[in-house]
Amino acid sequence: MTANRLPSPGLLRRRFLVGGAASVALLSAGGSVAGRRPPKPLAAAPGPGTPATQRAHLVAAPRPLKLLGPGAPATPGWTYGDDPLTVIRARRGDSLEVRLENRLPEFTSIHWHGIRLPIAMDGVPYITQPPVQPGESFDYRFALPDTGTFFFHPHCNTVAQVGRGLAGVLIVDGDAPIPYAADVLCLLRDWRIDEATGDFLDFQTAAGAAKAGTFGTLRTTGLAPAPTVAVPAGRDVRVRILNLDVTRVSQVGVVDAEAAVIAIDGNAVSPFPLLAWRMGPAMRLDVVVRAPQPGKAAQVVDYFAKEPVVLMTLLGEGDAPEATADFDPPPLYAPALPEPDLRNAETLPFVFGATAVAGTVAAPNGETIDLGASLCLNTDSFWAINKQSWPERGHEFPPAPLAELTLGRSYVFELQNVTPHMHPIHLHGHTFKVLDSNKVDRPVHWADTVLLTPKERARIAFVADNPGRWMFHCHIIEHQDTGMMGYVTVA
Ligand code: C2O
Ligand code: CU
């Protein structure tokens, strides 16, 4: 299967859209697609059954990873278990009890990305809990209020800890009114490794951090480049795509099969055709794909490259059903999230920019003055939110909050990207509604991370219903580490 065979997103768009306002910025054509077929109402989920407690013991430790293939040297990975791909599964309403045991040479923590949980369980060292030092354990305990596809990762030295492999998937079931013929995980991530020795390269570079980030050298889906997964031929399968990379933005699509988006960041949307959806680090997309006929293949691809890159091949297997219905996947159950009161919401602007002060200047006497240090900034501060850079790579010395929110009030955050780079912006502890944008035509949807494209302004809204100090940052981890992080308080 050569990459050249893959149609471009433009061709796909022409195939799917009739008369939509197609432009390059129109990534997945929410509005136009909705115009093609009226959005389907999402039914409320039935109440959760008897809640259970799901337990897991995660031992964060160095373990070799075979990323370069059988004969090649192993990579000194860090993982949560002997199976390097940790997947925790629960049902909505269940409680999760996870013991994190730290056998790493440095402190760590677990942040449960996208989960609306109490602040003490949010896993941000110094801000929400003490760092979990080597040899120590920490017990995370919380209920799971929402269904969907989530993940978890450390929230300290993140570029290296996630870079070495620390990340896991959390699936909260109970959102599907009908079963799918298969449930496929499509975990996208890169590794920065030396292909001769298997060792890691520098996770962070100043040149990368100041621009789009430092990209990996090996792209994998799961733990292998472009794996082939057998799926029941001709049936509708669910594919959960997670961008677990720390840097790369992918623009995912499906080739040679019909595909519809059913959830964004785990939150159900009225299904719409998947053309090419941009996913920044931390973003998730649940897709239903009509599996190919027996022996035939379809591909999950990334269009955000010169030639489309195959991420995963879905191979039809077994007997296809005799009579095939039109591809028309029903929606998942509606998210049960507090609806922001837009009429009475307070609007707060957040400007995502570059630091004006980073770098050095030559003083008249010939000395070099480090402007960053003179303002108590990390010398590698390249980024800021509302002109405020997070001062250190860790979380030990938090600056003032970016905003103080009143518990129970609705807020509209006006996010403005004044840089020429993309920034996937994530808020902890809340799920927000992405309302609109001056550049990208997305359907209104719930999310925990929104990808700001260059010069984009987007509005998000939510009810500040969870008390605490909630991190608000770019999920390109080098940007987060070099200033583009802050927090809001809810009290
Ligand atoms: Cu997934 Cu603060 O991060
Ligand atoms: Cu960023």
Side-chain angles (χ1 to χ4, degrees), residues 229-488:
V229 176
V231 287
R235 291 166 213 272
D236 288 352
V237 300
R238 179 174 187 163
V239 182
R240 301 174 192 258
I241 307 170
L242 294 90
N243 185 343
L244 299 189
D245 197 44
V246 290
T247 305
R248 186 185 296 277
V249 175
S250 289
Q251 186 163 327
V252 296
V254 170
V255 173
D256 288 339
E258 290 184 284
V261 175
I262 53 168
I264 298 171
D265 287 355
N267 308 289
V269 289
S270 178
F272 61 89
L274 171 61
L275 307 177
W277 184 265
R278 269 196 203 174
M279 297 178 69
M283 296 168 80
R284 289 91 64 212
L285 199 68
D286 282 57
V287 174
V288 175
V289 178
R290 172 67 55 89
Q293 292 300 303
K296 295 267 185 312
Q299 281 88 24
V300 181
V301 300
D302 176 12
Y303 289 113
F304 205 41
K306 282 206 193 76
E307 293 289 340
V309 175
V310 176
L311 304 172
M312 176 180 264
T313 297
L314 300 170
L315 187 64
E317 205 186 53
D319 294 331
E322 270 167 26
T324 33
D326 281 352
F327 180 67
D328 188 20
L332 298 173
Y333 291 128
L337 295 162
E339 191 66 42
D341 172 5
L342 293 182
R343 247 183 252 154
N344 297 303
E346 186 180 343
T347 297
L348 300 173
F350 293 91
V351 177
F352 296 83
T355 44
V357 292
T360 55
V361 290
N365 64 3
E367 271 176 29
T368 301
I369 297 177
D370 184 339
L371 289 171
S374 72
L375 292 169
C376 301
L377 292 173
N378 181 341
T379 45
D380 289 336
S381 273
F382 300 121
W383 307 101
I385 306 176
N386 286 350
K387 300 206 166 143
Q388 178 177 296
S389 286
W390 192 269
E392 290 281 336
R393 282 190 185 171
H395 303 76
E396 296 93 319
F397 308 108
L402 291 167
E404 297 178 5
L405 312 184
T406 303
L407 185 65
R409 261 202 95 168
S410 292
Y411 290 88
V412 172
F413 281 13
E414 237 171 40
L415 313 179
Q416 190 184 356
N417 178 5
V418 297
T419 79
H421 297 285
M422 291 184 284
H423 303 288
I425 302 301
H426 171 48
L427 174 64
H428 287 209
H430 298 77
T431 302
F432 50 76
K433 203 168 208 179
V434 180
L435 299 177
D436 48 31
S437 154
N438 67 336
K439 286 197 69 177
V440 183
D441 184 8
R442 309 175 179 93
V444 174
H445 65 276
W446 295 99
D448 52 58
T449 307
V450 61
L451 183 66
L452 295 182
T453 56
K455 309 288 175 188
E456 182 177 351
R457 279 168 181 268
R459 293 192 317 146
I460 63 172
F462 63 99
V463 182
D465 63 349
N466 199 355
R469 285 201 284 179
W470 299 106
M471 305 309 291
F472 186 44
H473 64 87
C474 179
H475 223 287
I476 289 178
I477 306 297
E478 281 169 288
H479 293 175
Q480 173 192 7
D481 270 357
T482 55
M484 199 176 271
M485 174 159 68
Y487 66 93
V488 299

Side-chain angles (χ1 to χ4, degrees), residues 51-403:
T53 299
Q54 306 295 341
R55 294 187 179 81
H57 186 177
L58 304 183
V59 183
R63 294 182 186 89
L65 290 174
K66 282 298 229 179
L67 296 168
L68 293 170
T75 296
W78 290 3
T79 67
Y80 287 122
D82 292 328
D83 180 348
L85 295 182
T86 307
V87 180
I88 298 177
R89 220 162 171 142
R91 292 189 68 80
R92 181 167 73 95
D94 284 358
S95 289
L96 208 57
E97 279 190 23
V98 178
R99 170 157 297 179
L100 166 65
E101 188 181 326
N102 184 5
R103 292 201 200 146
L104 302 172
E106 64 187 50
F107 71 76
T108 191
S109 73
I110 294 181
H111 168 59
W112 306 89
H113 185 112
I115 304 289
R116 298 185 300 139
L117 40 58
I119 186 73
M121 296 291 118
D122 198 44
V124 183
Y126 299 102
I127 304 279
T128 73
Q129 66 168 93
V132 185
Q133 298 292 349
E136 291 182 356
S137 291
F138 187 88
D139 290 332
Y140 292 94
R141 273 200 200 99
F142 51 90
L144 296 163
D146 303 309
T147 52
T149 305
F150 301 97
F151 77 116
F152 53 92
H153 60 82
H155 218 284
C156 38
N157 192 15
T158 314
V159 73
Q161 292 197 2
V162 177
R164 287 177 181 276
L166 285 176
V169 176
L170 171 58
I171 293 173
V172 187
D173 286 312
D175 56 4
I178 50 136
Y180 297 98
D183 195 333
V184 177
L185 270 182
C186 184
L187 307 181
L188 311 180
R189 65 156 302 166
D190 295 7
W191 305 85
R192 274 187 58 73
I193 47 181
D194 181 319
E195 309 231 344
T197 64
D199 287 333
F200 286 108
L201 303 167
D202 285 348
F203 294 106
Q204 182 155 335
T205 63
K211 296 205 168 102
T214 306
F215 289 81
T217 55
L218 176 72
R219 290 187 79 167
T220 61
T221 302
L223 291 172
T228 295
V229 176
V231 287
R235 291 166 213 272
D236 288 352
V237 300
R238 179 174 187 163
V239 182
R240 301 174 192 258
I241 307 170
L242 294 90
N243 185 343
L244 299 189
D245 197 44
V246 290
T247 305
R248 186 185 296 277
V249 175
S250 289
Q251 186 163 327
V252 296
V254 170
V255 173
D256 288 339
E258 290 184 284
V261 175
I262 53 168
I264 298 171
D265 287 355
N267 308 289
V269 289
S270 178
F272 61 89
L274 171 61
L275 307 177
W277 184 265
R278 269 196 203 174
M279 297 178 69
M283 296 168 80
R284 289 91 64 212
L285 199 68
D286 282 57
V287 174
V288 175
V289 178
R290 172 67 55 89
Q293 292 300 303
K296 295 267 185 312
Q299 281 88 24
V300 181
V301 300
D302 176 12
Y303 289 113
F304 205 41
K306 282 206 193 76
E307 293 289 340
V309 175
V310 176
L311 304 172
M312 176 180 264
T313 297
L314 300 170
L315 187 64
E317 205 186 53
D319 294 331
E322 270 167 26
T324 33
D326 281 352
F327 180 67
D328 188 20
L332 298 173
Y333 291 128
L337 295 162
E339 191 66 42
D341 172 5
L342 293 182
R343 247 183 252 154
N344 297 303
E346 186 180 343
T347 297
L348 300 173
F350 293 91
V351 177
F352 296 83
T355 44
V357 292
T360 55
V361 290
N365 64 3
E367 271 176 29
T368 301
I369 297 177
D370 184 339
L371 289 171
S374 72
L375 292 169
C376 301
L377 292 173
N378 181 341
T379 45
D380 289 336
S381 273
F382 300 121
W383 307 101
I385 306 176
N386 286 350
K387 300 206 166 143
Q388 178 177 296
S389 286
W390 192 269
E392 290 281 336
R393 282 190 185 171
H395 303 76
E396 296 93 319
F397 308 108
L402 291 167

